C-alpha cells in the first residue's frame, strides 16, 4: 500500500491542505527555477505558505520547524504503526479519551531493539477536521474526546487517519475493531472509501506481523462483497501480501 515518496507528499497535503501545498510548491518552483536545491528549500517554502495561510503550526506544539518534522519521515527508512486504544468510563454518556502510541512497523524480522520515532499527524473521524487535531511525536500521548463528539454510549467506530493521508498503519483495541466490523455489515457509509481501503490493507499487514489474529482479520474483511470497488482498490494497493491472503467472502 505504501510507496514512500508519493505517500509523504500526500501526507504534506493532509497537513497543510491542497491549496496551501500548491501555493508552497509554486513559490518553491518560482524561486528556484533553473537552480539546484535541497529538501530544506522545499520545506521552507511550504512552511512559509502554511504560516501565511494560518494552518501551520496549527495543533503542532513542538519546537521543530516544518522541515524538522518532515525529516523524521524523509531521513529514516520505514514508517510507524499507531495503536489507538479508546478508554471510556463505565456507565452512560461518560467522556472518553484516546490513548495513542507509536512503534516502528516492520513486516519481516524484528527491529533488534532499535527504536525510530516519527512526528505523526493525527486526524480522527469523530472530530470533523481534515487537518491534524494532534501530533504524536513521543512514544505515547492521550487525546481527550469532547463529550458531544464521542462518549461511552457511542456505537460508531473511531477511525484514525482521515482519508488515509498519513503515512502509517493503524491498529485498534478489540472493542473498536468490533465496531468497525459492525459498520462494515450494517452501515458501510460510516467509513470513508479511502479509509475502507486503509482498513483492509492495515489488517492484512497487521495479521502478517502478528498484531491481530486471523479471526479478527476474517471477521472484518469477510463482510466486504467481492465486487465492491473498495475491495478492488485494496487488492491493487495492498500488493502481493493481500492477494496471497484469505479471499474476501461474499456476504
Amino acid at each position: 500500500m505504501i510507496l514512500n515518496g508519493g505517500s509523504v507528499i500526500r501526507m504534506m497535503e493532509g497537513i497543510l491542505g491542497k491549496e496551501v501545498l500548491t501555493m508552497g510548491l509554486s513559490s518553491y518552483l518560482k524561486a528556484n527555477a533553473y537552480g539546484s536545491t535541497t529538501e530544506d528549500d522545499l520545506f521552507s517554502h511550504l512552511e512559509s505558505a502554511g504560516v501565511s495561510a494560518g494552518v501551520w503550526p496549527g495543533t503542532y506544539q513542538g519546537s521543530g520547524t516544518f522541515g524538522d518534522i518532515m525529516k523524521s519521515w524523509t531521513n529514516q527508512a520505514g514508517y510507524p504503526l499507531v495503536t489507538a486504544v479508546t478508554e471510556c468510563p463505565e456507565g452512560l454518556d461518560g467522556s472518553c479519551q484516546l490513548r495513542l502510541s507509536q512503534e516502528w512497523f516492520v513486516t519481516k524480522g524484528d527491529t533488534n531493539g532499535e527504536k525510530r520515532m516519527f512526528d505523526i499527524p493525527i486526524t480522527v473521524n469523530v472530530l470533523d477536521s481534515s487537518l491534524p487535531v494532534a501530533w504524536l511525536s513521543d512514544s505515547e500521548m492521550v487525546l481527550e474526546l469532547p463529550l458531544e463528539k464521542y462518549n461511552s454510549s457511542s456505537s460508531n467506530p473511531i477511525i484514525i487517519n482521515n482519508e488515509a493521508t498519513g503515512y502509517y498503519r493503524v491498529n485498534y483495541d478489540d472493542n473498536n475493531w468490533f465496531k468497525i466490523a459492525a459498520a462494515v455489515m450494517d452501515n458501510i457509509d460510516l467509513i470513508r472509501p479511502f479509509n475502507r481501503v486503509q482498513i483492509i490493507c492495515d489488517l492484512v499487514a497487521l495479521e502478517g506481523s502478528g498484531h491481530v489474529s486471523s479471526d479478527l482479520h476474517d471477521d472484518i474483511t469477510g463482510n466486504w462483497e467481492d465486487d465492491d470497488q473498495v475491495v478492488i482498490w485494496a487488492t491493487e494497493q495492498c500488493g502481493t501480501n493481500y492477494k496471497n491472503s484469505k479471499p474476501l467472502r461474499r456476504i
Side-chain angles (χ1 to χ4, degrees):
M1 175 183 179
I2 294 178
L3 304 174
N4 192 319
S7 293
V8 169
I9 293 172
R10 188 163 188 265
M11 183 166 61
M12 291 193 294
E13 179 182 328
I15 295 168
L16 299 173
K18 184 175 182 178
E19 183 177 341
V20 177
L21 177 69
T22 301
M23 183 168 59
L25 288 173
S26 297
S27 172
Y28 163 75
L29 292 171
K30 182 177 179 179
N32 296 285
Y34 310 111
S36 59
T37 65
T38 67
E39 65 177 1
D40 288 319
D41 298 311
L42 172 61
F43 295 149
S44 177
H45 281 270
L46 292 177
E47 179 170 8
S48 294
V51 170
S52 296
V55 300
W56 178 261
T59 57
Y60 177 69
Q61 298 180 346
S63 58
T65 64
F66 183 80
D68 292 332
I69 68 162
M70 292 314 304
K71 287 179 182 178
S72 74
W73 301 91
T74 61
N75 288 2
Q76 61 180 348
Y79 56 90
L81 166 66
V82 171
T83 298
V85 177
T86 309
E87 299 176 344
C88 298
E90 294 183 3
L92 299 177
D93 301 328
S95 59
C96 303
Q97 60 184 20
L98 268 179
R99 187 170 299 276
L100 302 168
S101 60
Q102 67 163 297
E103 61 185 272
W104 177 27
F105 185 72
V106 294
T107 55
K108 294 182 180 180
D110 57 53
T111 62
N112 295 318
E114 181 182 350
K115 295 184 181 296
R116 297 184 182 181
M117 302 294 292
F118 300 80
D119 288 299
I120 306 173
I122 300 296
T123 50
V124 186
N125 64 329
V126 298
L127 298 184
D128 302 322
S129 176
S130 59
L131 299 179
V133 297
W135 287 81
L136 177 58
S137 298
D138 297 320
S139 59
E140 185 175 286
M141 69 170 290
V142 173
L143 180 63
E144 301 291 339
L145 297 174
L147 187 65
E148 69 276 10
K149 296 291 187 180
Y150 193 91
N151 56 64
S152 52
S153 297
S154 300
S155 58
N156 293 341
I158 293 282
I159 304 293
I160 304 296
N161 196 12
N162 289 346
E163 301 290 358
T165 57
Y167 181 32
Y168 53 90
R169 302 281 183 204
V170 184
N171 192 13
Y172 300 96
D173 58 89
D174 285 349
N175 186 51
N176 197 63
W177 276 124
F178 295 148
K179 289 182 178 181
I180 290 173
V184 170
M185 292 182 64
D186 301 328
N187 190 2
I188 191 61
D189 289 335
L190 287 173
I191 305 174
R192 301 171 182 178
F194 274 116
N195 285 117
R196 297 177 213 169
V197 176
Q198 172 201 8
I199 287 167
I200 294 176
C201 292
D202 283 353
L203 279 170
V204 170
L206 293 172
E207 182 196 22
S209 64
H211 285 86
V212 303
S213 68
S214 295
D215 287 343
L216 188 148
H217 167 278
D218 294 348
D219 285 344
I220 298 175
T221 61
N223 287 309
W224 262 287
E225 294 185 15
D226 294 348
D227 57 352
D228 188 333
Q229 181 64 48
V230 167
V231 172
I232 297 173
W233 290 350
T235 303
E236 295 172 349
Q237 293 298 314
C238 295
T240 56
N241 287 340
Y242 177 75
K243 292 177 182 177
N244 292 336
S245 71
K246 299 178 181 66
L248 299 181
R249 302 189 296 271
R250 184 176 296 278
I251 296 176

